[in-house]
Amino acid sequence: REKGMALLQELISARIPAGARIHASTLHCNAPERARALGEWVQARYHCVEYWTDEAGPVLAAHAGPGTVALCWFLEEDLAAR
């Protein structure tokens, strides 16, 4: 699971420049501690205009399984462009 979290952080870092202003949410399937750890990393690395944690829905939980964590985000500049 630690390798998976490190890979997730690598993927996120490749897509979002450090310090970017983002709106973000961590989702989890019965893994609030892992979601909290990911959220702390995200909030330390990026400027989170808005941030929250929530439980993933039943479809994600059924397909990904317990212990899954995910990050959803969009850039503040994308919102401003609308």
Side-chain angles (χ1 to χ4, degrees):
R1 291 188 186 248
E2 295 310 313
K3 285 183 181 180
M5 186 67 79
L7 179 58
L8 179 59
Q9 291 172 345
E10 275 183 46
L11 292 169
I12 293 166
S13 295
R15 293 176 181 246
I16 310 172
R21 295 174 54 87
I22 63 171
H23 297 255
S25 172
T26 52
L27 302 175
H28 68 89
C29 298
N30 200 23
E33 299 83 18
R34 294 184 73 223
R36 185 174 19 260
L38 179 60
E40 288 171 358
W41 177 83
V42 167
Q43 292 179 74
R45 184 168 176 84
Y46 303 104
H47 178 95
C48 292
V49 176
E50 178 179 35
Y51 173 80
W52 70 97
T53 299
D54 205 352
E55 292 183 11
V59 173
L60 181 61
H63 290 281
T68 299
V69 294
L71 178 72
C72 304
W73 79 86
F74 64 90
L75 297 169
E76 175 73 7
E77 64 191 49
D78 292 344
L79 183 64
R82 291 183 177 228

